[in-house]
PDB file of all heavy atoms in Angstrom:
ATOM      1  N   GLY A 278     -30.448   3.074 -20.602  1.00 67.00           N
ATOM      2  CA  GLY A 278     -31.164   1.768 -20.843  1.00 67.00           C
ATOM      3  C   GLY A 278     -30.451   0.576 -20.297  1.00 67.00           C
ATOM      4  O   GLY A 278     -30.867  -0.552 -20.483  1.00 67.00           O
ATOM      5  N   GLY A 279     -29.300   0.790 -19.609  1.00 68.00           N
ATOM      6  CA  GLY A 279     -28.545  -0.292 -19.024  1.00 68.00           C
ATOM      7  C   GLY A 279     -27.196  -0.514 -19.666  1.00 68.00           C
ATOM      8  O   GLY A 279     -26.744   0.320 -20.485  1.00 68.00           O
ATOM      9  N   PHE A 280     -26.545  -1.665 -19.429  1.00 72.00           N
ATOM     10  CA  PHE A 280     -25.237  -1.956 -19.963  1.00 72.00           C
ATOM     11  C   PHE A 280     -25.303  -2.509 -21.369  1.00 72.00           C
ATOM     12  O   PHE A 280     -26.273  -3.242 -21.739  1.00 72.00           O
ATOM     13  CB  PHE A 280     -24.480  -2.959 -19.092  1.00 72.00           C
ATOM     14  CG  PHE A 280     -23.879  -2.390 -17.841  1.00 72.00           C
ATOM     15  CD1 PHE A 280     -24.581  -2.463 -16.634  1.00 72.00           C
ATOM     16  CD2 PHE A 280     -22.657  -1.768 -17.921  1.00 72.00           C
ATOM     17  CE1 PHE A 280     -24.006  -1.913 -15.491  1.00 72.00           C
ATOM     18  CE2 PHE A 280     -22.083  -1.219 -16.755  1.00 72.00           C
ATOM     19  CZ  PHE A 280     -22.787  -1.291 -15.555  1.00 72.00           C
ATOM     20  N   ARG A 281     -24.300  -2.178 -22.179  1.00 73.00           N
ATOM     21  CA  ARG A 281     -24.151  -2.746 -23.528  1.00 73.00           C
ATOM     22  C   ARG A 281     -22.768  -3.354 -23.646  1.00 73.00           C
ATOM     23  O   ARG A 281     -21.807  -2.663 -23.414  1.00 73.00           O
ATOM     24  CB  ARG A 281     -24.385  -1.771 -24.666  1.00 73.00           C
ATOM     25  CG  ARG A 281     -25.774  -1.195 -24.718  1.00 73.00           C
ATOM     26  CD  ARG A 281     -26.744  -2.239 -25.246  1.00 73.00           C
ATOM     27  NE  ARG A 281     -28.137  -1.673 -25.446  1.00 73.00           N
ATOM     28  CZ  ARG A 281     -29.031  -1.552 -24.468  1.00 73.00           C
ATOM     29  NH1 ARG A 281     -28.716  -1.981 -23.277  1.00 73.00           N
ATOM     30  NH2 ARG A 281     -30.172  -1.050 -24.725  1.00 73.00           N
ATOM     31  N   LEU A 282     -22.695  -4.656 -23.858  1.00 72.00           N
ATOM     32  CA  LEU A 282     -21.395  -5.355 -23.992  1.00 72.00           C
ATOM     33  C   LEU A 282     -21.256  -5.892 -25.408  1.00 72.00           C
ATOM     34  O   LEU A 282     -22.159  -6.553 -25.925  1.00 72.00           O
ATOM     35  CB  LEU A 282     -21.389  -6.532 -22.966  1.00 72.00           C
ATOM     36  CG  LEU A 282     -20.093  -7.311 -22.826  1.00 72.00           C
ATOM     37  CD1 LEU A 282     -18.987  -6.447 -22.261  1.00 72.00           C
ATOM     38  CD2 LEU A 282     -20.338  -8.573 -21.972  1.00 72.00           C
ATOM     39  N   LYS A 283     -20.070  -5.577 -26.000  1.00 76.00           N
ATOM     40  CA  LYS A 283     -19.848  -6.005 -27.388  1.00 76.00           C
ATOM     41  C   LYS A 283     -18.456  -6.643 -27.481  1.00 76.00           C
ATOM     42  O   LYS A 283     -17.495  -6.143 -26.861  1.00 76.00           O
ATOM     43  CB  LYS A 283     -19.909  -4.816 -28.364  1.00 76.00           C
ATOM     44  CG  LYS A 283     -21.367  -4.265 -28.521  1.00 76.00           C
ATOM     45  CD  LYS A 283     -22.246  -5.300 -29.198  1.00 76.00           C
ATOM     46  CE  LYS A 283     -23.719  -4.823 -29.179  1.00 76.00           C
ATOM     47  NZ  LYS A 283     -24.606  -5.796 -29.821  1.00 76.00           N
ATOM     48  N   PHE A 284     -18.311  -7.663 -28.375  1.00 74.00           N
ATOM     49  CA  PHE A 284     -17.077  -8.408 -28.561  1.00 74.00           C
ATOM     50  C   PHE A 284     -16.530  -8.114 -29.950  1.00 74.00           C
ATOM     51  O   PHE A 284     -16.996  -7.186 -30.631  1.00 74.00           O
ATOM     52  CB  PHE A 284     -17.281  -9.829 -28.359  1.00 74.00           C
ATOM     53  CG  PHE A 284     -17.628 -10.197 -26.933  1.00 74.00           C
ATOM     54  CD1 PHE A 284     -18.947 -10.313 -26.515  1.00 74.00           C
ATOM     55  CD2 PHE A 284     -16.608 -10.418 -25.959  1.00 74.00           C
ATOM     56  CE1 PHE A 284     -19.205 -10.567 -25.181  1.00 74.00           C
ATOM     57  CE2 PHE A 284     -16.912 -10.706 -24.632  1.00 74.00           C
ATOM     58  CZ  PHE A 284     -18.243 -10.782 -24.259  1.00 74.00           C
ATOM     59  N   PHE A 285     -15.559  -8.877 -30.440  1.00 70.00           N
ATOM     60  CA  PHE A 285     -14.941  -8.720 -31.755  1.00 70.00           C
ATOM     61  C   PHE A 285     -16.018  -8.507 -32.835  1.00 70.00           C
ATOM     62  O   PHE A 285     -17.116  -9.041 -32.758  1.00 70.00           O
ATOM     63  CB  PHE A 285     -14.208  -9.984 -32.150  1.00 70.00           C
ATOM     64  CG  PHE A 285     -12.799 -10.007 -31.630  1.00 70.00           C
ATOM     65  CD1 PHE A 285     -12.360 -10.989 -30.719  1.00 70.00           C
ATOM     66  CD2 PHE A 285     -11.870  -9.099 -32.015  1.00 70.00           C
ATOM     67  CE1 PHE A 285     -11.081 -11.035 -30.259  1.00 70.00           C
ATOM     68  CE2 PHE A 285     -10.560  -9.076 -31.594  1.00 70.00           C
ATOM     69  CZ  PHE A 285     -10.184 -10.070 -30.690  1.00 70.00           C
ATOM     70  N   GLY A 286     -15.636  -7.704 -33.806  1.00 54.00           N
ATOM     71  CA  GLY A 286     -16.529  -7.520 -34.936  1.00 54.00           C
ATOM     72  C   GLY A 286     -17.598  -6.424 -34.755  1.00 54.00           C
ATOM     73  O   GLY A 286     -18.451  -6.218 -35.595  1.00 54.00           O
ATOM     74  N   SER A 287     -17.459  -5.727 -33.621  1.00 56.00           N
ATOM     75  CA  SER A 287     -18.442  -4.711 -33.334  1.00 56.00           C
ATOM     76  C   SER A 287     -17.802  -3.351 -32.985  1.00 56.00           C
ATOM     77  O   SER A 287     -18.296  -2.610 -32.160  1.00 56.00           O
ATOM     78  CB  SER A 287     -19.330  -5.115 -32.130  1.00 56.00           C
ATOM     79  OG  SER A 287     -18.513  -5.397 -31.015  1.00 56.00           O
ATOM     80  N   SER A 288     -16.664  -3.106 -33.653  1.00 56.00           N
ATOM     81  CA  SER A 288     -15.897  -1.941 -33.290  1.00 56.00           C
ATOM     82  C   SER A 288     -16.589  -0.642 -33.581  1.00 56.00           C
ATOM     83  O   SER A 288     -16.309   0.394 -32.926  1.00 56.00           O
ATOM     84  CB  SER A 288     -14.521  -1.967 -34.078  1.00 56.00           C
ATOM     85  OG  SER A 288     -14.757  -1.916 -35.454  1.00 56.00           O
ATOM     86  N   LYS A 289     -17.540  -0.607 -34.517  1.00 68.00           N
ATOM     87  CA  LYS A 289     -18.208   0.662 -34.833  1.00 68.00           C
ATOM     88  C   LYS A 289     -19.619   0.786 -34.181  1.00 68.00           C
ATOM     89  O   LYS A 289     -20.313   1.723 -34.419  1.00 68.00           O
ATOM     90  CB  LYS A 289     -18.344   0.795 -36.353  1.00 68.00           C
ATOM     91  CG  LYS A 289     -17.008   0.996 -37.075  1.00 68.00           C
ATOM     92  CD  LYS A 289     -17.215   1.194 -38.532  1.00 68.00           C
ATOM     93  CE  LYS A 289     -15.895   1.391 -39.263  1.00 68.00           C
ATOM     94  NZ  LYS A 289     -16.048   1.602 -40.714  1.00 68.00           N
ATOM     95  N   TYR A 290     -19.945  -0.251 -33.425  1.00 68.00           N
ATOM     96  CA  TYR A 290     -21.296  -0.279 -32.869  1.00 68.00           C
ATOM     97  C   TYR A 290     -21.587   0.945 -32.005  1.00 68.00           C
ATOM     98  O   TYR A 290     -22.664   1.607 -32.205  1.00 68.00           O
ATOM     99  CB  TYR A 290     -21.415  -1.547 -31.961  1.00 68.00           C
ATOM    100  CG  TYR A 290     -22.789  -1.590 -31.227  1.00 68.00           C
ATOM    101  CD1 TYR A 290     -23.889  -2.122 -31.877  1.00 68.00           C
ATOM    102  CD2 TYR A 290     -22.905  -1.120 -29.943  1.00 68.00           C
ATOM    103  CE1 TYR A 290     -25.134  -2.208 -31.195  1.00 68.00           C
ATOM    104  CE2 TYR A 290     -24.105  -1.199 -29.303  1.00 68.00           C
ATOM    105  CZ  TYR A 290     -25.222  -1.686 -29.915  1.00 68.00           C
ATOM    106  OH  TYR A 290     -26.426  -1.784 -29.264  1.00 68.00           O
ATOM    107  N   PHE A 291     -20.693   1.356 -31.124  1.00 67.00           N
ATOM    108  CA  PHE A 291     -20.931   2.501 -30.246  1.00 67.00           C
ATOM    109  C   PHE A 291     -20.960   3.814 -30.997  1.00 67.00           C
ATOM    110  O   PHE A 291     -21.702   4.719 -30.629  1.00 67.00           O
ATOM    111  CB  PHE A 291     -19.864   2.553 -29.135  1.00 67.00           C
ATOM    112  CG  PHE A 291     -19.901   1.290 -28.228  1.00 67.00           C
ATOM    113  CD1 PHE A 291     -19.002   0.281 -28.374  1.00 67.00           C
ATOM    114  CD2 PHE A 291     -20.890   1.211 -27.226  1.00 67.00           C
ATOM    115  CE1 PHE A 291     -19.095  -0.832 -27.530  1.00 67.00           C
ATOM    116  CE2 PHE A 291     -20.954   0.125 -26.361  1.00 67.00           C
ATOM    117  CZ  PHE A 291     -20.064  -0.866 -26.479  1.00 67.00           C
ATOM    118  N   GLU A 292     -20.167   3.936 -32.005  1.00 68.00           N
ATOM    119  CA  GLU A 292     -20.137   5.144 -32.852  1.00 68.00           C
ATOM    120  C   GLU A 292     -21.358   5.367 -33.650  1.00 68.00           C
ATOM    121  O   GLU A 292     -21.816   6.439 -33.918  1.00 68.00           O
ATOM    122  CB  GLU A 292     -18.917   5.154 -33.767  1.00 68.00           C
ATOM    123  CG  GLU A 292     -17.531   5.345 -33.083  1.00 68.00           C
ATOM    124  CD  GLU A 292     -16.987   4.066 -32.501  1.00 68.00           C
ATOM    125  OE1 GLU A 292     -17.715   3.084 -32.490  1.00 68.00           O
ATOM    126  OE2 GLU A 292     -15.870   4.097 -32.041  1.00 68.00           O
ATOM    127  N   GLU A 293     -21.993   4.183 -34.047  1.00 68.00           N
ATOM    128  CA  GLU A 293     -23.152   4.224 -34.880  1.00 68.00           C
ATOM    129  C   GLU A 293     -24.463   4.437 -34.177  1.00 68.00           C
ATOM    130  O   GLU A 293     -25.499   4.733 -34.733  1.00 68.00           O
ATOM    131  CB  GLU A 293     -23.252   2.949 -35.729  1.00 68.00           C
ATOM    132  CG  GLU A 293     -22.113   2.766 -36.779  1.00 68.00           C
ATOM    133  CD  GLU A 293     -22.106   1.406 -37.390  1.00 68.00           C
ATOM    134  OE1 GLU A 293     -22.808   0.514 -36.849  1.00 68.00           O
ATOM    135  OE2 GLU A 293     -21.368   1.231 -38.383  1.00 68.00           O
ATOM    136  N   HIS A 294     -24.446   4.284 -32.855  1.00 66.00           N
ATOM    137  CA  HIS A 294     -25.667   4.448 -32.039  1.00 66.00           C
ATOM    138  C   HIS A 294     -25.555   5.687 -31.159  1.00 66.00           C
ATOM    139  O   HIS A 294     -24.696   5.759 -30.279  1.00 66.00           O
ATOM    140  CB  HIS A 294     -25.880   3.201 -31.127  1.00 66.00           C
ATOM    141  CG  HIS A 294     -26.236   1.991 -31.931  1.00 66.00           C
ATOM    142  ND1 HIS A 294     -25.385   1.328 -32.679  1.00 66.00           N
ATOM    143  CD2 HIS A 294     -27.491   1.329 -32.042  1.00 66.00           C
ATOM    144  CE1 HIS A 294     -26.012   0.315 -33.270  1.00 66.00           C
ATOM    145  NE2 HIS A 294     -27.282   0.301 -32.913  1.00 66.00           N
ATOM    146  N   LYS A 295     -26.459   6.620 -31.415  1.00 69.00           N
ATOM    147  CA  LYS A 295     -26.373   7.969 -30.817  1.00 69.00           C
ATOM    148  C   LYS A 295     -26.558   7.939 -29.243  1.00 69.00           C
ATOM    149  O   LYS A 295     -26.116   8.845 -28.605  1.00 69.00           O
ATOM    150  CB  LYS A 295     -27.467   8.881 -31.443  1.00 69.00           C
ATOM    151  CG  LYS A 295     -27.278   9.129 -32.894  1.00 69.00           C
ATOM    152  CD  LYS A 295     -26.005   9.899 -33.183  1.00 69.00           C
ATOM    153  CE  LYS A 295     -25.890  10.158 -34.671  1.00 69.00           C
ATOM    154  NZ  LYS A 295     -24.605  10.902 -34.920  1.00 69.00           N
ATOM    155  N   GLU A 296     -27.201   6.942 -28.728  1.00 67.00           N
ATOM    156  CA  GLU A 296     -27.398   6.924 -27.272  1.00 67.00           C
ATOM    157  C   GLU A 296     -26.129   6.823 -26.481  1.00 67.00           C
ATOM    158  O   GLU A 296     -26.126   6.979 -25.268  1.00 67.00           O
ATOM    159  CB  GLU A 296     -28.328   5.781 -26.883  1.00 67.00           C
ATOM    160  CG  GLU A 296     -27.801   4.395 -27.033  1.00 67.00           C
ATOM    161  CD  GLU A 296     -28.197   3.718 -28.383  1.00 67.00           C
ATOM    162  OE1 GLU A 296     -28.405   4.517 -29.360  1.00 67.00           O
ATOM    163  OE2 GLU A 296     -28.308   2.508 -28.417  1.00 67.00           O
ATOM    164  N   PHE A 297     -24.972   6.508 -27.157  1.00 69.00           N
ATOM    165  CA  PHE A 297     -23.749   6.365 -26.422  1.00 69.00           C
ATOM    166  C   PHE A 297     -22.878   7.655 -26.453  1.00 69.00           C
ATOM    167  O   PHE A 297     -21.822   7.702 -25.895  1.00 69.00           O
ATOM    168  CB  PHE A 297     -22.895   5.208 -26.995  1.00 69.00           C
ATOM    169  CG  PHE A 297     -23.563   3.899 -26.812  1.00 69.00           C
ATOM    170  CD1 PHE A 297     -24.108   3.207 -27.903  1.00 69.00           C
ATOM    171  CD2 PHE A 297     -23.678   3.290 -25.605  1.00 69.00           C
ATOM    172  CE1 PHE A 297     -24.754   1.986 -27.740  1.00 69.00           C
ATOM    173  CE2 PHE A 297     -24.320   2.062 -25.404  1.00 69.00           C
ATOM    174  CZ  PHE A 297     -24.792   1.433 -26.495  1.00 69.00           C
ATOM    175  N   GLU A 298     -23.375   8.666 -27.128  1.00 71.00           N
ATOM    176  CA  GLU A 298     -22.601   9.871 -27.357  1.00 71.00           C
ATOM    177  C   GLU A 298     -22.100  10.565 -26.081  1.00 71.00           C
ATOM    178  O   GLU A 298     -21.032  11.085 -25.969  1.00 71.00           O
ATOM    179  CB  GLU A 298     -23.393  10.922 -28.162  1.00 71.00           C
ATOM    180  CG  GLU A 298     -23.359  10.640 -29.657  1.00 71.00           C
ATOM    181  CD  GLU A 298     -24.026  11.791 -30.457  1.00 71.00           C
ATOM    182  OE1 GLU A 298     -24.547  12.746 -29.830  1.00 71.00           O
ATOM    183  OE2 GLU A 298     -23.925  11.708 -31.728  1.00 71.00           O
ATOM    184  N   ASP A 299     -22.939  10.563 -25.027  1.00 76.00           N
ATOM    185  CA  ASP A 299     -22.581  11.229 -23.783  1.00 76.00           C
ATOM    186  C   ASP A 299     -22.099  10.238 -22.712  1.00 76.00           C
ATOM    187  O   ASP A 299     -22.103  10.550 -21.506  1.00 76.00           O
ATOM    188  CB  ASP A 299     -23.778  12.052 -23.226  1.00 76.00           C
ATOM    189  CG  ASP A 299     -24.076  13.170 -24.154  1.00 76.00           C
ATOM    190  OD1 ASP A 299     -23.167  13.768 -24.782  1.00 76.00           O
ATOM    191  OD2 ASP A 299     -25.295  13.525 -24.301  1.00 76.00           O
ATOM    192  N   HIS A 300     -21.763   8.995 -23.150  1.00 80.00           N
ATOM    193  CA  HIS A 300     -21.366   7.978 -22.183  1.00 80.00           C
ATOM    194  C   HIS A 300     -19.961   7.409 -22.544  1.00 80.00           C
ATOM    195  O   HIS A 300     -19.599   7.354 -23.732  1.00 80.00           O
ATOM    196  CB  HIS A 300     -22.401   6.855 -22.156  1.00 80.00           C
ATOM    197  CG  HIS A 300     -23.752   7.304 -21.764  1.00 80.00           C
ATOM    198  ND1 HIS A 300     -24.172   7.406 -20.456  1.00 80.00           N
ATOM    199  CD2 HIS A 300     -24.799   7.710 -22.521  1.00 80.00           C
ATOM    200  CE1 HIS A 300     -25.387   7.835 -20.367  1.00 80.00           C
ATOM    201  NE2 HIS A 300     -25.813   8.030 -21.651  1.00 80.00           N
ATOM    202  N   THR A 301     -19.206   7.071 -21.519  1.00 87.00           N
ATOM    203  CA  THR A 301     -17.885   6.544 -21.757  1.00 87.00           C
ATOM    204  C   THR A 301     -17.933   5.088 -22.140  1.00 87.00           C
ATOM    205  O   THR A 301     -18.632   4.293 -21.576  1.00 87.00           O
ATOM    206  CB  THR A 301     -17.083   6.669 -20.436  1.00 87.00           C
ATOM    207  OG1 THR A 301     -17.012   8.050 -20.046  1.00 87.00           O
ATOM    208  CG2 THR A 301     -15.627   6.215 -20.689  1.00 87.00           C
ATOM    209  N   ILE A 302     -17.123   4.782 -23.139  1.00 87.00           N
ATOM    210  CA  ILE A 302     -16.926   3.391 -23.626  1.00 87.00           C
ATOM    211  C   ILE A 302     -15.653   2.845 -22.980  1.00 87.00           C
ATOM    212  O   ILE A 302     -14.607   3.496 -22.980  1.00 87.00           O
ATOM    213  CB  ILE A 302     -16.801   3.289 -25.173  1.00 87.00           C
ATOM    214  CG1 ILE A 302     -17.960   3.889 -25.856  1.00 87.00           C
ATOM    215  CG2 ILE A 302     -16.551   1.881 -25.590  1.00 87.00           C
ATOM    216  CD1 ILE A 302     -17.738   4.211 -27.302  1.00 87.00           C
ATOM    217  N   TYR A 303     -15.743   1.663 -22.367  1.00 90.00           N
ATOM    218  CA  TYR A 303     -14.628   1.078 -21.667  1.00 90.00           C
ATOM    219  C   TYR A 303     -14.193  -0.151 -22.575  1.00 90.00           C
ATOM    220  O   TYR A 303     -15.018  -0.995 -22.840  1.00 90.00           O
ATOM    221  CB  TYR A 303     -15.018   0.569 -20.261  1.00 90.00           C
ATOM    222  CG  TYR A 303     -15.464   1.698 -19.397  1.00 90.00           C
ATOM    223  CD1 TYR A 303     -16.769   2.103 -19.358  1.00 90.00           C
ATOM    224  CD2 TYR A 303     -14.524   2.383 -18.608  1.00 90.00           C
ATOM    225  CE1 TYR A 303     -17.222   3.150 -18.581  1.00 90.00           C
ATOM    226  CE2 TYR A 303     -14.958   3.475 -17.745  1.00 90.00           C
ATOM    227  CZ  TYR A 303     -16.331   3.822 -17.781  1.00 90.00           C
ATOM    228  OH  TYR A 303     -16.736   4.912 -16.986  1.00 90.00           O
ATOM    229  N   SER A 304     -12.940  -0.153 -22.963  1.00 89.00           N
ATOM    230  CA  SER A 304     -12.453  -1.145 -23.941  1.00 89.00           C
ATOM    231  C   SER A 304     -11.205  -1.854 -23.516  1.00 89.00           C
ATOM    232  O   SER A 304     -10.321  -1.258 -22.889  1.00 89.00           O
ATOM    233  CB  SER A 304     -12.251  -0.525 -25.295  1.00 89.00           C
ATOM    234  OG  SER A 304     -13.478   0.135 -25.775  1.00 89.00           O
TER     235      SER A 304
END
């Protein structure tokens, strides 16, 4: 669905959304 960019206060966002399971998070 495209890029997702998150800042402070969103540390669990990627873990809570299943669409990121097979994608690398860059931090």
Side-chain angles (χ1 to χ4, degrees):
F280 281 97
R281 293 289 185 274
L282 184 66
K283 291 292 174 182
F284 294 93
F285 274 119
S287 57
S288 61
K289 293 184 179 180
Y290 176 85
F291 295 102
E292 288 83 351
E293 291 170 350
H294 290 72
K295 297 295 182 182
E296 67 265 30
F297 297 108
E298 279 188 356
D299 295 326
H300 300 275
T301 303
I302 302 164
Y303 300 89
S304 302

